[in-house]
Structure formats: C-alpha cells, structure tokens
Coordinates of all heavy atoms in Angstrom, one line a residue:
V1 N 64.6 115.3 153.1 CA 64.2 114.9 151.7 C 63.3 113.7 151.9 O 63.7 112.8 152.6 CB 65.5 114.7 150.9 CG1 65.0 114.1 149.6 CG2 66.3 115.9 150.7
I2 N 62.2 113.6 151.1 CA 61.4 112.4 151.0 C 62.2 111.5 149.9 O 62.3 111.9 148.8 CB 60.0 112.6 150.5 CG1 59.3 113.4 151.5 CG2 59.4 111.2 150.2 CD1 57.8 113.7 151.2
N3 N 62.9 110.5 150.4 CA 63.8 109.8 149.7 C 63.2 108.6 149.0 O 63.6 108.2 147.8 CB 64.9 109.2 150.7 CG 66.0 108.6 149.9 OD1 66.7 109.2 149.0 ND2 66.5 107.4 150.3
E4 N 62.1 108.1 149.5 CA 61.4 106.9 148.9 C 60.0 107.0 149.3 O 59.7 107.4 150.5 CB 62.1 105.6 149.5 CG 61.7 104.4 148.7 CD 62.5 103.2 149.1 OE1 63.6 103.3 149.5 OE2 61.9 102.1 149.1
L5 N 59.0 106.5 148.5 CA 57.6 106.5 148.8 C 57.1 105.1 148.4 O 57.4 104.7 147.2 CB 56.9 107.6 148.0 CG 55.4 107.7 148.0 CD1 55.0 108.1 149.4 CD2 54.9 108.7 147.0
H6 N 56.4 104.5 149.2 CA 55.8 103.2 148.8 C 54.4 103.3 149.1 O 53.8 103.5 150.3 CB 56.4 102.1 149.6 CG 55.8 100.8 149.4 ND1 54.7 100.2 150.1 CD2 56.1 99.9 148.5 CE1 54.4 99.0 149.6 NE2 55.2 98.7 148.5
L7 N 53.5 103.1 148.1 CA 52.1 103.1 148.2 C 51.5 101.7 148.0 O 51.7 101.1 147.0 CB 51.4 104.1 147.1 CG 51.9 105.5 147.2 CD1 51.3 106.3 146.1 CD2 51.5 106.0 148.5
G8 N 50.9 101.2 149.1 CA 50.5 99.9 149.1 C 49.5 99.6 150.2 O 49.1 100.6 150.8
P9 N 49.4 98.4 150.7 CA 48.5 98.1 151.8 C 48.9 98.9 153.1 O 48.1 99.4 153.9 CB 48.7 96.7 152.1 CG 49.0 96.1 150.8 CD 49.9 97.2 150.2
L10 N 50.3 99.1 153.2 CA 50.7 99.9 154.4 C 51.6 100.9 153.8 O 52.8 100.7 153.4 CB 51.6 99.0 155.4 CG 50.8 98.2 156.2 CD1 51.7 97.4 157.1 CD2 49.7 98.8 157.0
D11 N 51.1 102.1 153.5 CA 51.9 103.2 152.8 C 53.1 103.6 153.7 O 53.0 103.5 155.0 CB 51.0 104.5 152.6 CG 49.8 104.3 151.8 OD1 49.9 103.4 151.0 OD2 48.8 105.0 151.8
A12 N 54.2 103.9 153.0 CA 55.4 104.3 153.8 C 56.2 105.3 153.1 O 56.1 105.4 151.8 CB 56.2 103.0 154.0
I13 N 56.9 106.1 153.8 CA 57.9 106.9 153.3 C 59.2 106.8 153.9 O 59.3 106.4 155.1 CB 57.4 108.5 153.3 CG1 57.3 108.9 154.7 CG2 56.1 108.7 152.6 CD1 57.2 110.5 154.8
E14 N 60.3 107.1 153.3 CA 61.6 107.1 153.8 C 62.1 108.6 153.8 O 62.1 109.2 152.8 CB 62.5 106.3 153.1 CG 64.0 106.2 153.7 CD 64.8 105.3 152.9 OE1 64.9 104.0 153.2 OE2 65.5 105.7 152.0
L15 N 62.4 109.2 155.0 CA 63.1 110.5 155.0 C 64.6 110.4 155.2 O 65.1 109.6 155.9 CB 62.5 111.2 156.3 CG 61.0 111.4 156.3 CD1 60.6 112.1 157.6 CD2 60.4 112.2 155.1
Y16 N 65.3 111.3 154.4 CA 66.7 111.2 154.4 C 67.2 112.6 154.7 O 66.7 113.6 154.1 CB 67.3 110.8 153.0 CG 68.7 111.0 152.8 CD1 69.6 110.3 153.6 CD2 69.2 111.7 151.7 CE1 71.0 110.5 153.4 CE2 70.5 111.9 151.6 CZ 71.4 111.2 152.3 OH 72.8 111.4 152.1
N17 N 68.1 112.7 155.7 CA 68.8 113.9 156.0 C 70.1 114.0 155.2 O 71.1 113.4 155.6 CB 69.0 114.1 157.5 CG 69.7 115.4 157.9 OD1 69.9 116.2 157.0 ND2 70.0 115.6 159.1
A18 N 70.2 114.7 154.1 CA 71.3 114.8 153.3 C 72.3 115.8 153.7 O 73.4 116.1 153.2 CB 70.8 115.2 151.8
T19 N 72.0 116.5 154.9 CA 73.0 117.5 155.4 C 73.9 116.8 156.4 O 73.7 115.8 156.9 CB 72.3 118.7 156.1 OG1 71.7 118.3 157.3 CG2 71.2 119.2 155.2
P20 N 75.0 117.5 156.8 CA 75.8 116.9 158.0 C 75.2 117.3 159.2 O 75.7 116.7 160.3 CB 77.1 117.6 157.7 CG 76.9 118.9 157.0 CD 75.6 118.6 156.1
D21 N 74.2 118.1 159.3 CA 73.7 118.6 160.6 C 72.5 117.8 161.0 O 71.7 117.3 160.2 CB 73.3 120.1 160.5 CG 74.5 120.9 160.1 OD1 75.6 120.8 160.7 OD2 74.4 121.8 159.2
P22 N 72.2 117.6 162.3 CA 71.0 117.0 162.8 C 69.7 117.9 162.5 O 69.9 119.1 162.4 CB 71.2 116.8 164.3 CG 72.3 117.7 164.6 CD 73.1 118.1 163.4
V23 N 68.7 117.2 162.2 CA 67.4 117.9 161.9 C 66.4 117.5 163.1 O 66.1 116.2 163.1 CB 66.8 117.6 160.6 CG1 65.5 118.3 160.4 CG2 67.8 118.2 159.5
D24 N 65.8 118.4 163.8 CA 64.9 118.0 164.8 C 63.5 117.9 164.2 O 62.9 118.8 163.7 CB 64.9 119.1 165.9 CG 63.9 118.8 167.0 OD1 63.4 117.7 167.1 OD2 63.7 119.8 167.9
L25 N 63.0 116.6 164.2 CA 61.6 116.4 163.6 C 60.5 116.5 164.6 O 59.4 116.2 164.2 CB 61.6 115.1 162.8 CG 62.6 114.9 161.7 CD1 62.5 113.5 161.1 CD2 62.3 116.0 160.6
T26 N 60.8 116.8 165.8 CA 59.9 116.9 166.9 C 58.6 117.8 166.5 O 58.9 118.9 166.1 CB 60.5 117.3 168.2 OG1 61.6 116.5 168.5 CG2 59.4 117.4 169.3
G27 N 57.4 117.2 166.6 CA 56.2 117.9 166.2 C 55.9 118.0 164.7 O 54.9 118.5 164.4
W28 N 56.9 117.6 163.9 CA 56.5 117.5 162.4 C 55.4 116.6 162.2 O 55.2 115.6 163.0 CB 57.7 117.1 161.7 CG 58.8 118.1 161.4 CD1 59.1 119.1 162.3 CD2 59.7 118.2 160.3 NE1 60.2 119.8 161.8 CE2 60.6 119.3 160.6 CE3 59.7 117.5 159.1 CZ2 61.5 119.7 159.7 CZ3 60.8 118.0 158.2 CH2 61.6 119.0 158.5
Q29 N 54.5 116.8 161.2 CA 53.4 116.0 160.9 C 53.4 115.5 159.6 O 53.7 116.2 158.6 CB 52.1 116.7 161.3 CG 51.9 117.2 162.7 CD 50.6 117.8 163.0 OE1 50.1 118.6 162.2 NE2 50.0 117.6 164.2
I30 N 52.8 114.3 159.4 CA 52.6 113.7 158.1 C 51.1 113.3 158.1 O 50.6 112.7 159.0 CB 53.5 112.4 157.9 CG1 54.9 112.7 157.8 CG2 53.0 111.8 156.5 CD1 55.8 111.6 157.8
E31 N 50.4 113.8 157.0 CA 49.0 113.5 157.0 C 48.7 112.7 155.7 O 49.2 112.9 154.7 CB 48.1 114.9 156.9 CG 46.7 114.6 156.9 CD 45.8 115.9 157.2 OE1 46.4 117.0 157.3 OE2 44.6 115.8 157.2
V32 N 47.8 111.6 155.9 CA 47.4 110.9 154.8 C 46.1 111.3 154.4 O 45.2 111.4 155.0 CB 47.3 109.3 155.3 CG1 46.9 108.5 154.2 CG2 48.7 108.8 155.8
F33 N 46.1 111.6 153.0 CA 44.8 112.0 152.4 C 44.3 110.8 151.6 O 45.0 110.3 150.7 CB 45.1 113.2 151.4 CG 45.3 114.5 152.2 CD1 46.6 114.8 152.3 CD2 44.3 115.2 152.6 CE1 46.9 116.0 153.0 CE2 44.6 116.5 153.3 CZ 46.0 116.8 153.4
A34 N 43.1 110.4 151.8 CA 42.5 109.3 151.1 C 41.0 109.5 150.9 O 40.3 109.9 151.7 CB 42.7 108.0 152.0
N35 N 40.7 109.2 149.7 CA 39.2 109.4 149.2 C 38.6 110.7 149.7 O 37.5 110.7 150.1 CB 38.4 108.2 149.8 CG 38.9 106.9 149.4 OD1 39.4 106.7 148.3 ND2 39.0 105.9 150.3
G36 N 39.4 111.7 149.5 CA 38.9 113.1 149.8 C 38.8 113.4 151.2 O 38.3 114.5 151.6
T37 N 39.3 112.6 152.1 CA 39.3 112.7 153.6 C 40.3 113.8 153.9 O 41.5 113.7 153.6 CB 39.5 111.6 154.4 OG1 38.6 110.6 153.9 CG2 39.4 111.7 155.8
T38 N 39.9 114.9 154.6 CA 40.8 115.8 155.1 C 40.4 116.1 156.6 O 39.3 115.8 157.0 CB 40.8 117.1 154.3 OG1 39.5 117.7 154.4 CG2 41.2 116.9 152.9
Q39 N 41.4 116.7 157.3 CA 41.1 117.1 158.7 C 40.6 115.9 159.6 O 39.9 116.1 160.5 CB 40.1 118.3 158.8 CG 40.4 119.5 157.9 CD 41.7 120.0 158.2 OE1 42.1 120.2 159.6 NE2 42.6 120.4 157.4
D40 N 41.1 114.7 159.3 CA 40.8 113.6 160.2 C 42.1 113.3 161.0 O 43.1 112.8 160.5 CB 40.6 112.3 159.2 CG 40.2 111.1 160.0 OD1 40.4 111.1 161.3 OD2 39.9 110.1 159.4
P41 N 41.9 113.6 162.5 CA 43.1 113.4 163.2 C 43.7 112.1 163.3 O 44.7 111.8 163.6 CB 42.6 113.9 164.6 CG 41.1 113.8 164.5 CD 40.7 114.0 163.1
T42 N 42.9 111.0 163.0 CA 43.4 109.6 162.9 C 44.3 109.4 161.8 O 45.0 108.4 161.6 CB 42.3 108.5 162.9 OG1 41.5 108.7 161.6 CG2 41.3 108.8 164.1
R43 N 44.4 110.3 160.8 CA 45.3 110.2 159.6 C 46.4 111.1 159.8 O 47.2 111.3 158.8 CB 44.4 110.5 158.4 CG 43.3 109.5 158.1 CD 42.7 109.7 156.7 NE 42.0 108.5 156.3 CZ 42.5 107.4 155.7 NH1 43.8 107.4 155.5 NH2 41.8 106.5 155.3
V44 N 46.8 111.7 160.9 CA 47.8 112.5 161.0 C 48.9 111.9 162.0 O 48.5 111.5 163.1 CB 47.5 113.9 161.7 CG1 48.6 114.8 162.0 CG2 46.4 114.6 160.7
Y45 N 50.1 111.7 161.5 CA 51.2 111.2 162.4 C 52.0 112.4 162.9 O 52.5 113.2 162.0 CB 52.0 110.2 161.8 CG 53.2 109.8 162.5 CD1 53.1 108.9 163.5 CD2 54.5 110.3 162.3 CE1 54.1 108.5 164.4 CE2 55.5 109.8 163.1 CZ 55.4 109.0 164.2 OH 56.4 108.6 164.9
T46 N 52.2 112.6 164.1 CA 53.0 113.6 164.6 C 54.2 113.0 165.3 O 54.1 112.1 166.1 CB 52.3 114.5 165.8 OG1 51.1 115.0 165.1 CG2 53.1 115.7 166.3
F47 N 55.5 113.4 164.9 CA 56.7 112.9 165.4 C 56.8 113.2 167.0 O 56.6 114.4 167.2 CB 57.9 113.5 164.7 CG 58.3 112.8 163.4 CD1 57.7 113.2 162.2 CD2 59.2 111.7 163.5 CE1 58.1 112.6 161.0 CE2 59.4 111.0 162.3 CZ 58.9 111.5 161.1
P48 N 57.1 112.2 167.7 CA 57.4 112.4 169.0 C 58.9 113.1 169.1 O 59.5 113.3 168.1 CB 57.6 111.0 169.6 CG 58.0 110.2 168.5 CD 57.3 110.8 167.3
P49 N 59.4 113.4 170.3 CA 60.7 113.9 170.3 C 61.7 113.0 169.5 O 61.9 111.8 169.8 CB 61.1 113.9 171.8 CG 59.8 114.0 172.4 CD 58.9 113.3 171.7
F50 N 62.3 113.6 168.4 CA 63.1 112.8 167.4 C 63.9 113.6 166.7 O 63.5 114.6 166.1 CB 62.2 112.0 166.5 CG 62.9 111.1 165.5 CD1 63.4 109.9 165.9 CD2 63.0 111.5 164.2 CE1 64.2 109.1 165.1 CE2 63.8 110.7 163.3 CZ 64.3 109.5 163.8
T51 N 65.3 113.3 166.6 CA 66.2 114.0 165.8 C 66.8 113.1 164.8 O 67.3 112.0 165.1 CB 67.4 114.5 166.7 OG1 66.8 115.4 167.5 CG2 68.4 115.3 165.9
L52 N 66.9 113.5 163.5 CA 67.4 112.7 162.4 C 68.8 113.2 162.1 O 69.0 114.4 161.7 CB 66.5 112.8 161.1 CG 66.9 111.9 160.0 CD1 66.9 110.5 160.3 CD2 66.0 112.3 158.8
D53 N 69.8 112.4 162.4 CA 71.1 112.9 162.3 C 71.6 113.0 160.9 O 71.0 112.5 160.0 CB 72.1 111.9 163.1 CG 72.0 112.0 164.6 OD1 71.7 113.1 165.1 OD2 72.1 111.0 165.2
G54 N 72.6 113.7 160.6 CA 73.1 114.0 159.3 C 73.5 112.6 158.6 O 74.1 111.8 159.2
G55 N 72.9 112.5 157.3 CA 73.3 111.3 156.6 C 72.4 110.1 157.0 O 72.5 109.1 156.4
E56 N 71.5 110.3 157.9 CA 70.7 109.2 158.4 C 69.3 109.1 157.7 O 68.8 110.1 157.1 CB 70.4 109.3 159.9 CG 71.7 109.1 160.7 CD 72.3 107.7 160.7 OE1 71.4 106.7 160.6 OE2 73.4 107.6 160.6
V57 N 68.6 108.0 157.7 CA 67.3 107.8 157.1 C 66.4 107.3 158.3 O 66.8 106.6 159.1 CB 67.2 106.9 155.9 CG1 68.1 107.4 154.8 CG2 67.7 105.5 156.3
V58 N 65.1 107.6 158.0 CA 64.1 106.9 158.9 C 62.9 106.6 158.0 O 62.5 107.4 157.1 CB 63.6 107.9 160.1 CG1 62.9 109.0 159.6 CG2 62.7 107.1 161.0
A59 N 62.3 105.4 158.2 CA 61.2 105.0 157.5 C 59.9 105.2 158.3 O 59.9 104.8 159.6 CB 61.2 103.5 157.0
V60 N 58.8 105.8 157.9 CA 57.7 106.0 158.5 C 56.5 105.3 157.7 O 56.3 105.5 156.6 CB 57.4 107.5 158.6 CG1 56.1 107.7 159.3 CG2 58.5 108.3 159.2
H61 N 55.9 104.4 158.5 CA 54.8 103.6 157.8 C 53.6 103.6 158.5 O 53.5 104.0 159.7 CB 55.3 102.1 157.6 CG 55.6 101.4 158.8 ND1 54.7 100.7 159.5 CD2 56.7 101.4 159.5 CE1 55.2 100.2 160.6 NE2 56.5 100.6 160.7
E62 N 52.6 103.3 157.8 CA 51.2 103.4 158.2 C 50.7 102.1 159.0 O 51.1 101.1 158.6 CB 50.2 103.6 157.0 CG 48.8 103.9 157.3 CD 48.1 104.1 156.0 OE1 48.3 103.5 154.9 OE2 47.1 104.9 156.0
G63 N 50.0 102.3 160.0 CA 49.4 101.1 160.7 C 50.2 100.5 161.8 O 51.3 100.9 162.0
G64 N 49.6 99.6 162.5 CA 50.3 98.9 163.6 C 50.4 99.7 164.8 O 49.7 100.6 165.1
S65 N 51.3 99.2 165.6 CA 51.5 99.8 167.0 C 53.0 100.0 167.1 O 53.9 99.3 166.5 CB 51.0 99.0 168.1 OG 51.7 97.9 168.3
Q66 N 53.4 100.8 168.1 CA 54.8 101.1 168.4 C 55.4 99.7 169.0 O 56.6 99.4 168.7 CB 55.0 102.2 169.4 CG 54.6 103.5 168.9 CD 55.0 104.6 169.8 OE1 55.6 104.4 170.8 NE2 54.6 105.8 169.5
T67 N 54.7 98.9 169.7 CA 55.2 97.6 170.2 C 55.5 96.7 169.1 O 56.6 96.1 169.0 CB 54.2 97.1 171.2 OG1 54.0 98.0 172.2 CG2 54.8 95.8 171.8
A68 N 54.6 96.6 168.1 CA 54.6 95.6 167.1 C 55.6 96.0 165.9 O 56.2 95.2 165.2 CB 53.3 95.3 166.5
N69 N 55.7 97.4 165.7 CA 56.4 97.8 164.5 C 57.5 98.7 164.8 O 57.9 99.4 163.9 CB 55.3 98.6 163.6 CG 54.3 97.7 163.0 OD1 54.6 96.5 162.6 ND2 53.1 98.0 163.0
G70 N 57.9 98.8 165.9 CA 59.1 99.7 166.2 C 58.6 101.1 166.6 O 57.4 101.5 166.7
R71 N 59.6 101.9 166.8 CA 59.4 103.2 167.4 C 58.6 104.1 166.4 O 57.9 105.1 166.8 CB 60.7 103.9 167.8 CG 60.6 105.2 168.5 CD 61.9 105.5 169.0 NE 61.8 106.9 169.5 CZ 62.8 107.8 169.7 NH1 64.0 107.3 169.5 NH2 62.7 109.0 170.1
H72 N 58.9 104.1 165.1 CA 58.4 105.0 164.1 C 57.4 104.3 163.2 O 57.8 103.3 162.6 CB 59.5 105.7 163.4 CG 60.4 106.3 164.3 ND1 60.1 107.4 165.1 CD2 61.7 105.9 164.7 CE1 61.2 107.7 165.9 NE2 62.1 106.8 165.6
H73 N 56.2 104.7 163.2 CA 55.2 104.1 162.3 C 54.2 105.1 161.9 O 54.1 106.2 162.4 CB 54.4 102.9 163.1 CG 53.7 103.4 164.1 ND1 52.3 103.5 164.0 CD2 54.0 103.6 165.5 CE1 51.8 103.9 165.3 NE2 52.8 104.0 166.1

C-alpha cells in the first residue's frame, strides 16, 4: 500500500505492508513522471534485493546516494 506521499524538492513515498506476510519487492520499479517525461531510465528506481516484512514500512525518496541517504532512496 502506498501509505504516504510527499511532493516537494525531494519527492518521497512510504510503502506499508498491511499483511502479516513478507512481500518481496526485489525488481519492483517506481518511475517519476515530470513535465511529460517518460521512458527516462534516470527517473526509474528499481528495488535491489529487498523484502518488506509484515506490518513494516519503507520510505523511498528521490535524490542523493546510498551512502549519504541510506539504503533506500
């Protein structure tokens, strides 16, 4: 479930697994559409090997690097 959406200088979404079961997000993609731009690979985030456990949340935000901003960005 997309639990929260923040549109601003660094767009972000929060994903929430409302089930008791883990959900494998590996390979899932989030694409940012801006100013009519489509099919731009720099605007696609593909999840690395990642499992969202039941009842857990993860925030995915735009920009930065894995070193500066944590594992998920």
Side-chain angles (χ1 to χ4, degrees):
V1 173
I2 296 176
N3 192 49
E4 191 172 331
L5 177 65
H6 179 267
L7 301 176
L10 292 178
D11 298 338
I13 64 167
E14 181 180 271
L15 302 176
Y16 170 60
N17 180 0
T19 74
D21 301 315
V23 174
D24 182 8
L25 297 178
T26 303
W28 285 32
Q29 295 183 327
I30 297 171
E31 184 170 358
V32 177
F33 291 94
N35 302 323
T37 303
T38 61
Q39 305 300 319
D40 179 351
T42 65
R43 296 189 162 277
V44 177
Y45 175 77
T46 303
F47 276 92
F50 181 76
T51 299
L52 186 60
D53 291 326
E56 295 290 322
V57 299
V58 65
V60 181
H61 59 90
E62 186 177 33
S65 70
Q66 291 186 9
T67 302
N69 294 315
R71 187 170 168 201
H72 307 290
H73 66 94

